[in-house]
Amino acid sequence: MSQRLPKNPAFDFRKYQPFAFAPKLNDRTWPDKQITQAPIWASVDLRDGNQALIDPMNIEQKLKFFKLLIDIGFKEIEIGFPSAAQVEFDFTRRLIEDNLVPDDVTLQVLVQAREHLIDRTFEALQGAKRAIVHVYNSTSKVQRDKVYQLDKEQIKQIAINGATMLKDKAKNYPDTEWVFQYSPESFSQTETDYAVEVCDAVCEVWQPWLGQAVILNLPATVEASTPNVYADQVEYFCRHLKHRKDVIISLHTHNDRGCAVAASELGLMAGADRIEGTLLGNGERTGNMDILVMAMNLYTQGIDPKLDFSQVSEVVQIVSECNNLPVHPRHPYVGELVFTAFSGSHQDAIKKSLDYNEKHQETDNHWDVAYLPIDPSHIGRGYQDVVRINSQSGKGGAAYILQRHYGFDLPRWTQIDFARVVQAQAETLARELKTEELLDIFTNAYLSQDTFHLSDYTISNRGGEVTFQGQVASPEQVFEVIGQGNGALSAFIDGLVKATGRQIHVTNYAEHAIDRVMRTDNETGNQTNAAAAAYIQLAVDGQIYSGIGTCNSTVSAMLKGALSALAQAW
């Protein structure tokens, strides 16, 4: 009987209260909306992601990451907090002075609403063609009451002051096209009507209706509610903002409840235009919204994500090298195991779906495969990732691997027989079986039997009756096999019955051509080819046994298959 863990008296749900900042929105419209196009994407890997690393990136790592973001297709990239550290300032200058920013890419930087920090920020951006200056201050009730100890009017004035400073400082740099962005930090924990009030006040300063480009960013700085509540907050905000049509609404969700992607998706349905996030979700605490996941979610719905993840393994490698963070093997779309099925029923369904697709390519070219939301090859992953074998696997998985890798198309009755062999081996080893091991198990079980050897034989056909005549040698004796039947196999079986005295008849038979190199011979090192594979199931003295034979000749493969099955019974 297992011992229970001692209860922690501090684990007390009564310390917490239900979420208190949901707006009243009885006529919400977002549940009836669908996402039909990609949002404006903004990567914050080099700022929000970088500040959450144990060891922040150096300039060379940032340059490598920046190039990756460009290659993927990002047009807006938050590169840092240039007023916060010298390395951030120097990286900004490096991008501008070395002309590393494509003309269609806009740099974004973050700054607090404080004058000397804003001065330093504009100094860092001098010479940029187009830049987003992102200013913020926290508006949530907990920050107002416990951190700043200021009332709503005082907090709003901080936002107004920051917006005014941005507008005034930008006039000193007329050669740059400036975009102003404001975030009511902790929007998700702010009364939504108050967030509207603060953002309206900021807009009065910037006057986007007169042509100034403005982004209002609504962060779930701490994810504190279910995604539907966040969507209500976004829809309420969009409805009540005075100059909604003149601004871009951006979302920046975090993953404290594990729902950052869902919150951004629903927020997009609720009226947002733009999404901020990071690749693989790196960020403070549980991380930022994972742009790769959200983009690939759109991809699975037939929507162009406007970002290129066709070589996702290379993306993951660079991100991991720069962030020095591992990727979970179950991470959506990119984890080592996300396209892998160990379950027997899953493997069988995948195999049958893929087989069906291959037979109906001309009439059905849309991806629809059980347990695989996308084709792994579309993002540079191989089919070897799809099916892996352990003790939980069934007949379909082993059959899939033998078919895809080695050209053996096992009939169902052979699949059942082989599955028992594979499961026994996996249980003995207590681990996953490698692809090469699976072929070895298959070969040892069916193709390497040395109980019987077929010597020279002749097959003749007179008047529709086929006669087999030859010798079959076992370790103990040599059988003279002479038999008649309506075909080579039936004549051979008739001869075996007469020679051995055993009751033998064929219960199942299948064959197919194979055109792949089967294996490397362990003794000679030579690769051997087989043109045909024959699968035979025999009833021997009332018991069922399966055998397989391969050879350049279909008839020889058939006879070898019969001996392979007979060897199981001997």
Side-chain angles (χ1 to χ4, degrees):
M1 185 174 179
S2 62
Q3 184 177 356
R4 291 190 63 182
L5 294 173
K7 183 174 177 60
N8 179 357
F11 189 74
D12 185 357
F13 67 90
R14 293 169 295 182
K15 281 282 197 177
Y16 302 92
Q17 301 180 63
F19 186 73
F21 304 106
K24 293 188 181 300
L25 199 66
N26 297 326
D27 57 343
R28 61 184 61 84
T29 62
W30 63 261
D32 295 323
K33 302 287 180 62
Q34 284 187 320
I35 301 174
T36 58
Q37 62 183 18
I40 301 166
W41 299 111
S43 162
V44 295
D45 289 272
L46 299 175
R47 198 279 303 170
D48 207 352
N50 186 55
Q51 76 178 33
L53 297 175
I54 298 171
D55 298 309
M57 287 179 271
N58 58 36
I59 287 181
E60 293 308 313
Q61 288 173 312
K62 280 195 141 194
L63 286 171
K64 186 176 184 179
F65 209 129
F66 182 79
K67 184 180 183 303
L68 174 67
L69 295 172
I70 296 299
D71 291 343
I72 290 171
F74 284 96
K75 302 303 180 186
E76 296 184 1
I77 301 173
E78 189 168 84
I79 59 171
F81 204 141
S83 63
Q86 188 63 44
V87 66
E88 301 285 282
F89 185 94
D90 291 344
F91 176 61
T92 306
R93 295 310 308 154
R94 178 82 172 269
L95 292 177
I96 295 169
E97 292 173 1
D98 290 0
N99 198 28
L100 299 177
V101 184
D103 290 340
D104 62 345
V105 172
T106 302
L107 300 182
Q108 177 173 312
V109 296
L110 187 70
V111 64
Q112 291 173 317
R114 298 167 65 184
E115 187 170 12
H116 70 286
L117 300 179
I118 292 174
D119 283 338
R120 181 71 165 161
T121 299
F122 277 97
E123 182 184 347
L125 287 170
Q126 185 173 1
K129 297 181 179 67
R130 188 173 190 267
I132 300 168
V133 183
H134 180 187
V135 66
Y136 71 98
N137 67 296
S138 188
T139 58
S140 67
K141 187 176 189 305
V142 66
Q143 295 259 30
R144 296 193 315 261
D145 293 349
K146 297 183 178 181
V147 179
Y148 298 106
Q149 298 182 26
L150 298 174
D151 62 24
K152 286 183 176 181
E153 283 300 317
Q154 290 170 312
I155 291 293
K156 183 171 69 173
Q157 193 58 50
I158 294 174
I160 293 170
N161 292 344
T164 302
M165 284 186 281
L166 246 64
K167 183 176 181 179
D168 291 342
K169 302 297 182 183
K171 293 176 183 177
N172 299 325
Y173 303 90
D175 294 335
T176 298
E177 180 185 349
W178 297 108
V179 179
F180 297 150
Q181 177 168 325
Y182 172 71
S183 287
E185 192 199 2
S186 300
F187 165 82
S188 56
Q189 294 173 292
T190 300
E191 304 90 334
T192 315
D193 56 349
Y194 177 61
V196 172
E197 179 183 335
V198 173
C199 289
D200 273 338
V202 168
C203 285
E204 290 298 325
V205 175
W206 286 341
Q207 298 182 316
W209 54 89
L210 296 181
Q212 172 61 55
V214 170
I215 300 169
L216 297 178
N217 189 52
L218 309 179
T221 308
V222 176
E223 185 176 39
S225 71
T226 51
N228 62 297
V229 172
Y230 181 70
D232 279 354
Q233 291 175 304
V234 173
E235 181 166 339
Y236 182 98
F237 184 93
C238 291
R239 282 197 203 178
H240 291 84
L241 188 74
K242 290 179 183 177
H243 298 284
R244 168 65 186 96
K245 64 181 178 59
D246 300 309
V247 303
I248 288 173
I249 301 297
S250 177
L251 306 180
H252 180 117
T253 58
H254 279 251
N255 205 41
D256 299 272
R257 293 169 58 95
C259 301
V261 170
S264 285
E265 289 177 330
L266 298 191
L268 200 60
M269 293 159 60
D273 312 297
R274 181 179 185 267
I275 299 293
E276 293 188 348
T278 62
L279 298 179
L280 307 184
N282 173 47
E284 298 282 10
R285 304 177 311 281
T286 55
N288 283 48
M289 200 283 300
D290 188 337
I291 284 185
L292 186 150
V293 170
M294 185 170 172
M296 289 305 301
N297 286 354
L298 297 181
Y299 182 83
T300 68
Q301 303 304 302
I303 298 170
D304 182 358
K306 304 297 183 182
L307 296 175
D308 183 1
F309 291 114
S310 59
Q311 295 298 330
V312 76
S313 296
E314 295 180 14
V315 172
V316 171
Q317 181 178 349
I318 294 173
V319 173
S320 297
E321 288 174 357
C322 291
N323 287 345
N324 196 26
L325 291 173
V327 177
H328 195 284
R330 300 290 183 189
H331 192 106
Y333 299 107
V334 301
E336 178 188 357
L337 299 177
V338 296
F339 297 116
T340 301
F342 289 105
S343 160
S345 61
H346 290 203
Q347 293 172 347
D348 187 57
I350 289 170
K351 178 182 183 298
K352 288 175 179 175
S353 295
L354 292 173
D355 289 346
Y356 181 93
N357 286 0
E358 288 183 2
K359 294 175 183 176
H360 298 83
Q361 292 181 48
E362 295 181 1
T363 58
D364 186 2
N365 58 6
H366 286 98
W367 182 259
D368 187 21
V369 172
Y371 301 111
L372 289 179
I374 66 168
D375 185 338
S377 69
H378 288 179
I379 56 173
R381 296 283 293 268
Y383 278 104
Q384 67 269 21
D385 299 318
V386 171
V387 171
R388 288 161 65 169
I389 305 301
N390 63 14
S391 61
Q392 303 301 306
S393 304
K395 64 183 185 302
Y400 173 89
I401 289 177
L402 290 175
Q403 180 187 42
R404 293 281 166 174
H405 290 269
Y406 304 111
F408 290 102
D409 189 6
L410 274 60
R412 188 175 187 278
W413 39 273
T414 305
Q415 292 179 28
I416 295 171
D417 187 78
F418 185 47
R420 289 194 291 266
V421 177
V422 171
Q423 186 175 40
Q425 184 68 10
E427 289 177 349
T428 299
L429 296 175
R431 62 169 173 80
E432 176 190 355
L433 298 177
K434 299 176 182 177
T435 299
E436 316 85 72
E437 290 177 316
L438 192 69
L439 179 63
D440 287 336
I441 295 169
F442 178 74
T443 300
N444 293 335
Y446 302 108
L447 302 179
S448 296
Q449 70 83 21
D450 55 6
T451 304
F452 298 108
H453 298 281
L454 181 63
S455 300
D456 292 340
Y457 63 87
T458 59
I459 297 174
S460 59
N461 188 338
R462 294 182 180 177
E465 183 178 69
V466 177
T467 299
F468 177 93
Q469 185 170 357
Q471 290 184 331
V472 172
S474 76
E476 293 81 19
Q477 65 186 109
V478 176
F479 297 99
E480 293 291 337
V481 179
I482 302 173
Q484 289 78 38
N486 58 9
L489 180 60
S490 61
F492 183 51
I493 296 298
D494 179 62
L496 288 174
V497 170
K498 294 173 182 176
T500 64
R502 310 285 287 268
Q503 296 298 312
I504 307 169
H505 66 270
V506 177
T507 58
N508 276 303
Y509 174 77
E511 66 179 42
H512 65 79
I514 54 178
D515 59 358
R516 309 182 191 204
V517 173
M518 283 170 45
R519 62 181 292 106
T520 301
D521 186 274
N522 291 330
E523 295 182 2
T524 67
N526 296 324
Q527 289 183 326
T528 58
N529 287 303
Y535 308 87
I536 297 180
Q537 191 177 66
L538 297 180
V540 181
D541 295 336
Q543 298 294 315
I544 301 298
Y545 302 95
S546 295
I548 302 173
T550 61
C551 193
N552 289 329
S553 160
T554 301
V555 172
S556 293
M558 178 172 57
L559 300 179
K560 285 183 176 182
L563 292 179
S564 171
L566 187 63
Q568 313 292 325
W570 207 253

